[in-house]
């Protein structure tokens, strides 16, 4: 999550990127611990929703993975458009989400 945190700071706080980013940065995180949760929630409140969204789910690994997958499926059309955009950033973090995320995007791409 820390690398994406740095990217978000560059996009929304640093003098180089602040106010210039017109796309969407979307962060999905699931796990027992949610590093920087309060910081991400504060950023979500301070930035327009068309520029940043945060979904942090605190739960045991299996529960968090299932919840993140469910949220991704609920937003599959929007996520697919986001992946096709040159002005977007998507970060998905959580133990066990690698394979599930790959399968999800394969399903979305083939639909």
């Amino acid at each position: 999550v820390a690398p994406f945190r740095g990217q978000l700071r560059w996009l929304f706080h640093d003098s180089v990127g602040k106010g210039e980013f017109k796309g969407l940065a979307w962060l999905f995180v699931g796990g027992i611990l949610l590093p920087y949760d309060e910081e991400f929630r504060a950023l979500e409140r301070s930035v327009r929703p068309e520029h940043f969204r945060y979904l942090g789910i605190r739960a045991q690994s299996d529960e968090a993975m299932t919840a993140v997958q469910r949220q991704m499926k609920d937003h599959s059309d929007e996520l697919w458009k986001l992946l096709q955009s040159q002005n977007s950033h998507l970060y998905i973090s959580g133990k066990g989400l690698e394979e599930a995320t790959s399968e999800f995007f394969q399903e979305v791409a083939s639909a």
Side-chain angles (χ1 to χ4, degrees):
V1 175
F4 197 67
R5 177 183 180 230
Q7 181 73 10
L8 292 172
R9 285 182 171 203
W10 181 79
L11 290 172
F12 298 114
H13 295 297
D14 291 355
S15 59
V16 174
K18 189 174 183 178
E20 298 297 319
F21 181 61
K22 305 298 182 213
L24 172 61
W26 201 336
L27 173 61
F28 290 84
V29 181
I32 297 170
L33 300 174
L34 299 179
Y36 315 111
D37 183 61
E38 287 303 316
E39 182 177 331
F40 293 138
R41 291 190 190 284
L43 179 62
E44 187 175 41
R45 289 188 299 272
S46 69
V47 174
R48 293 176 25 196
E50 62 266 21
H51 296 304
F52 178 65
R53 295 186 195 159
Y54 171 60
L55 175 69
I57 298 173
R58 187 180 321 253
Q60 295 296 322
S61 284
D62 292 344
E63 295 168 14
M65 184 176 69
T66 301
V68 169
Q69 286 176 296
R70 186 173 42 251
Q71 288 296 317
M72 289 174 61
K73 285 181 181 178
D74 289 349
H75 298 283
S76 60
D77 291 340
E78 195 172 4
L79 286 170
W80 180 242
K81 289 177 189 173
L82 179 67
L83 287 176
Q84 296 176 3
S85 169
Q86 292 182 356
N87 197 16
S88 63
H89 302 270
L90 176 65
Y91 195 89
I92 302 162
S93 176
K95 185 176 180 180
L97 283 173
E98 303 88 357
E99 186 176 327
T101 299
S102 177
E103 290 172 5
F104 166 76
F105 284 118
Q106 287 175 9
E107 288 175 20
V108 170
S110 65

